[in-house]
């Protein structure tokens, strides 16, 4: 069964510092995708970054990078140079299957990040 | 390009009633997914549609149903509302071949009294 674990319910980070949000997953399917979403207080989910299980390199998108450790089944999100606007809930998610035939998306419980000026 | 739109944004219903929520995906997106978000259960997948066909379904009772039209717009319906159906209902659309990159709408906040 699919499962996503985010062990940090809440985190604080100083503005301009880097922060790592943890995510571990459980799947027996060799093909899967991992995602991170941001949900500000406004409620709208924002796609941040994607990592495929067969991707050789860690994904990066601007200030966001995904530290993918396949053997440990972890997909931590690293935010560099935190900004006040980064304060939000962050969700790790997974979808089993190949790009042409995906299964449903499973979300983790989320981590609340607060950036301190 | 306009984002995903959901209507209505807020809704108050009483137990036993039914409700229909609407989602218009980003132009060119043919895949639409629905999620329920509650403080207790978090984000849970409801169903996914592609080209008017339900492609995936989550673990929700039959009171929850959906459909997709030829223009990719989607609706979800909840019949015989229960208090536990109070939630934020999120719709997301994605481009074919990039289903991992979902663009979410602002959601519909449903309150059942």
């Amino acid at each position: 069964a699919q499962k996503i674990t985010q062990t940090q319910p809440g985190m604080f980070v100083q503005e301009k510092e880097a922060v790592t949000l943890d995510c571990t997953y459980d799947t027996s399917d060799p093909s899967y995708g991992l995602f991170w979403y941001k949900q500000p207080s406004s409620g709208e989910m924002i796609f941040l970054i994607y990592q495929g299980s067969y991707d050789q390199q860690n994904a990066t998108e601007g200030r966001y990078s995904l530290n993918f450790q396949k053997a440990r089944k972890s997909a931590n999100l690293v935010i560099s140079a935190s900004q006040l606007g980064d304060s939000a809930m962050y969700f790790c998610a997974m979808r089993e299957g190949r790009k042409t035939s995906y299964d449903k998306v499973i979300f983790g419980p989320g981590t609340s990040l607060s950036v301190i000026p | 390009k306009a984002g995903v739109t959901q209507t209505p944004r807020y809704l108050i219903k009483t137990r036993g009633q039914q409700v229909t929520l609407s989602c218009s995906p980003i132009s060119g997106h043919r895949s639409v997914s629905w999620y329920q978000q509650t403080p207790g259960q978090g984000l849970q997948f409801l169903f996914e549609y592609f080209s008017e066909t339900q492609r995936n379904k989550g673990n929700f009772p039959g009171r929850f149903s959906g459909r997709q039209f030829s223009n990719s717009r989607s609706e979800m319906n909840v019949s015989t509302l229960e208090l536990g159906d109070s939630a934020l209902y999120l719709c997301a659309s994605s481009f074919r071949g990039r289903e991992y990159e979902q663009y979410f709408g602002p959601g519909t906040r449903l309150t059942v009294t």
Side-chain angles (χ1 to χ4, degrees), chain A residues 35 37 39 44 50 95 102, chain B residues 37 48 56 100 102 104:
Chain A
F35 332 95
Y37 286 88
Q39 188 176 40
E44 192 162 343
Y50 164 81
R95 188 169 198 176
Y102 273 119
Chain B
Q37 187 176 26
E48 178 189 19
N56 285 299
Y100 53 85
Q102 295 189 316
F104 282 77

Side-chain angles (χ1 to χ4, degrees), chain A residues 35 37 39 42-47 50 91 95 99-100 102-108, chain B residues 9 35 37 43 45 48 55-59 88 90 97 99-102 104-106:
Chain A
F35 332 95
Y37 286 88
Q39 188 176 40
S42 60
E44 192 162 343
M45 297 282 285
I46 302 167
F47 170 80
Y50 164 81
F91 293 94
R95 188 169 198 176
K99 287 185 178 180
T100 57
Y102 273 119
D103 197 355
K104 60 186 178 183
V105 180
I106 302 295
F107 282 83
Chain B
R9 292 291 310 279
Y35 298 87
Q37 187 176 26
L43 270 158
F45 172 81
E48 178 189 19
R55 188 156 66 175
N56 285 299
K57 188 178 190 303
N59 300 322
L88 179 67
L90 293 163
E99 280 83 359
Y100 53 85
E101 190 170 341
Q102 295 189 316
F104 282 77

Side-chain angles (χ1 to χ4, degrees), chain B residues 52-97:
Chain B
E52 303 178 67
T53 301
Q54 189 178 84
R55 188 156 66 175
N56 285 299
K57 188 178 190 303
N59 300 322
F60 278 81
R63 300 185 296 107
F64 292 81
S65 62
R67 58 177 176 169
Q68 186 180 34
F69 302 94
S70 59
N71 62 357
S72 295
R73 189 177 71 84
S74 178
E75 289 181 346
M76 69 161 281
N77 184 77
V78 188
S79 62
T80 319
L81 284 166
E82 301 177 359
L83 295 179
D85 297 333
S86 294
L88 179 67
Y89 289 88
L90 293 163
C91 165
S93 73
S94 57
F95 192 72
R96 183 179 184 181

Side-chain angles (χ1 to χ4, degrees), chain B residues 6-19:
Chain B
Q6 291 186 247
T7 56
R9 292 291 310 279
Y10 303 91
L11 205 51
I12 300 175
K13 291 284 189 178
T14 56
R15 279 182 299 177
Q17 287 187 313
Q18 76 165 15
V19 67

Side-chain angles (χ1 to χ4, degrees), chain B residues 27-63:
Chain B
S27 177
H29 287 192
R30 294 169 62 190
S31 175
V32 174
S33 297
W34 288 89
Y35 298 87
Q36 180 196 65
Q37 187 176 26
T38 60
Q41 299 297 318
L43 270 158
Q44 293 187 287
F45 172 81
L46 279 158
F47 22 68
E48 178 189 19
Y49 288 88
F50 180 79
S51 292
E52 303 178 67
T53 301
Q54 189 178 84
R55 188 156 66 175
N56 285 299
K57 188 178 190 303
N59 300 322
F60 278 81
R63 300 185 296 107

Side-chain angles (χ1 to χ4, degrees), chain A residues 14-109:
Chain A
Q14 203 75 36
E15 193 178 6
K16 300 180 185 178
E17 296 290 315
V19 63
T20 298
L21 306 183
D22 294 341
C23 172
T24 57
Y25 59 93
D26 183 30
T27 179
S28 56
D29 193 327
S31 299
Y32 53 90
L34 297 157
F35 332 95
W36 278 90
Y37 286 88
K38 171 185 177 181
Q39 188 176 40
S41 55
S42 60
E44 192 162 343
M45 297 282 285
I46 302 167
F47 170 80
L48 295 177
I49 197 167
Y50 164 81
Q51 179 84 44
S53 60
Y54 293 114
D55 292 344
Q56 295 297 312
Q57 293 188 318
N58 287 344
T60 60
E61 288 287 347
R63 294 187 298 112
Y64 304 106
S65 60
L66 199 152
N67 184 1
F68 181 45
Q69 298 187 43
K70 195 170 183 176
R72 297 179 60 184
K73 293 188 175 179
S74 76
N76 298 339
L77 177 71
V78 180
I79 305 174
S80 62
S82 297
Q83 302 172 356
L84 295 178
D86 293 335
S87 295
M89 281 291 289
Y90 288 82
F91 293 94
C92 179
M94 178 177 70
R95 188 169 198 176
E96 291 177 341
R98 298 185 178 277
K99 287 185 178 180
T100 57
S101 180
Y102 273 119
D103 197 355
K104 60 186 178 183
V105 180
I106 302 295
F107 282 83

